[in-house]
Amino acid sequence: MNIPVVAIVGRPNVGKSTLFNRLVGGRAAIVDNRPGVTRDRKHALAEWTGHPFTLVDTGGYLPGSDDKIERAVVRQIQEAIHEADLIVFLVDAKTGLTEFDRELSVELKKSGRPVLLTVNKVDSDARELNALEFFELGFGDPMPVSAESGRNVGDFLDKVIELLPATAAITTDNPNGKLISLAIVGRPNVGKSSLVNALLGEEKVIVTDIPGTTRDAIDSKFKYYSEEFLIVDTAGLRRKSKVRDAVEYYSTLRSLESIKRCDVTILMVDAMVGMETQDMRILGEAVRMNKGVIITVNKWDLVEKDSNTARAHELQIRETLKNNDYLPIVFISALTKQRIYKVVEIARAVAEERKRTLKTSELNDYLAEATSRYAPPSMDQREVKIKYCTQVKSNPPVIAFFTNAPDSIKPHYRAYLEKQFRQRFGFLGVPLTMVFRKK
């Protein structure tokens, strides 16, 4: 899309994410009173008076830090400045002008990009006087706003549109408007961000060896053999007892929300650790929501192996999966890019499987075979018969079975029917919903 880009930059805790949420509508970015909550740059589409633009939220500018994450945040800010058509330089009327503001102003002048100096937290006429001290930064008249209350935000947006280049016609290589969306989930520090960066070919999200670096969900598009995908990197999910503060609480909610709105969930597992209880919990959430699921075993490059290693690992995982053994398993290294595009190919196949619709005649022919091999157990000397079945929904698939005694179809027989149907019809990586109704 040929849409201009607006980047919001500033030192920590000046209200960048609050302004971002105000402009895009809703709570797209996590907001907390502590500085340093936003780390990766986050993109969203915004619009004002018929003019669309891409808005970019960034972390707080803290140059010269020895902290690994803070240095990575500064790199992210530099990337945002580089891609922007307009920079919203956000400062804080409450705390006033600081040395970090002055340092960042120098960097912005070097960039050559147009800058709209915006003074946040101006929630009264009296506080507008505080905005005057920012004149010395050399960006002209400061624009006073209150991102929290919405004060002067309309005037601010008018100025943004005035400074942006004219919007060209919006075009897309995806005429149907439906991308295959992939949610990358897993425990902290399994390599989710590394996989995103490997697929995108750039450091779109910060990668460090510190668990929990990613806090928000970052949506990115990428193209593979002319087909577009939407990929979501998420914060690591942890047991609720380990969620100790508001930021991590909202990160967990965002991860679950990412699963909810994706087509295919990519569950990343650490090859050095294997499937753990928390991985099974994440998997259970994806299956419960009827999402396509792929298990990717990352850091495979670190495992000492022989010709049977992969097979042994797969058997061990499938034993843990039990009834979910229909899920594909891929051994990858996000670091070396080993088999990462195999994950994309399987994800595309799983997404197609979710959309499949089977003919009722084919379903009933196979139902007759399955029930003749193993009839439903009788109940109180009464013969239980499944009369027929039909697929009532796709994406995700739902198959309805009509029987004289729905309550007598016990879990073990449901599992038998699902296994029989998968052997015949496939549905690789796709949970099947089987409902039993009274005929």
Side-chain angles (χ1 to χ4, degrees), residues 267-283:
L267 172 60
M268 293 193 73
V269 177
D270 191 326
M272 307 300 291
V273 179
M275 289 281 287
E276 293 192 327
T277 302
Q278 182 63 359
D279 297 311
M280 293 302 296
R281 190 184 79 82
I282 299 170
L283 173 62

Side-chain angles (χ1 to χ4, degrees), residues 134-152:
F134 293 97
F135 255 113
E136 78 168 73
L137 294 176
F139 293 107
D141 292 341
M143 171 65 69
V145 301
S146 172
E148 188 165 342
S149 69
R151 189 173 189 267
N152 289 343

Side-chain angles (χ1 to χ4, degrees), residues 232-278:
V232 180
D233 182 37
T234 60
L237 283 170
R238 305 186 185 198
R239 292 190 301 275
K240 289 184 180 179
S241 60
K242 296 286 184 72
V243 181
R244 302 195 184 280
D245 63 24
V247 173
E248 194 166 351
Y249 169 73
Y250 284 113
S251 294
T252 302
L253 290 185
R254 289 288 161 82
S255 296
L256 295 174
E257 184 63 29
S258 297
I259 294 174
K260 186 185 297 183
R261 63 190 178 89
C262 77
D263 298 309
V264 180
T265 299
I266 298 173
L267 172 60
M268 293 193 73
V269 177
D270 191 326
M272 307 300 291
V273 179
M275 289 281 287
E276 293 192 327
T277 302
Q278 182 63 359

Side-chain angles (χ1 to χ4, degrees), residues 358-413:
L358 302 174
K359 293 181 179 179
T360 300
S361 58
E362 292 180 352
L363 283 169
N364 283 285
D365 286 346
Y366 204 68
L367 174 63
E369 292 181 30
T371 53
S372 65
R373 280 193 292 270
Y374 176 27
S378 298
M379 177 182 173
D380 299 329
Q381 298 183 341
R382 179 187 178 193
E383 185 179 9
V384 176
K385 290 186 177 181
I386 301 176
K387 307 291 186 179
Y388 69 96
C389 65
T390 185
Q391 185 172 347
V392 295
K393 186 180 182 300
S394 62
N395 201 24
V398 179
I399 300 175
F401 295 82
F402 294 86
T403 173
N404 61 335
D407 293 340
S408 68
I409 309 297
K410 301 303 180 187
H412 73 277
Y413 196 76

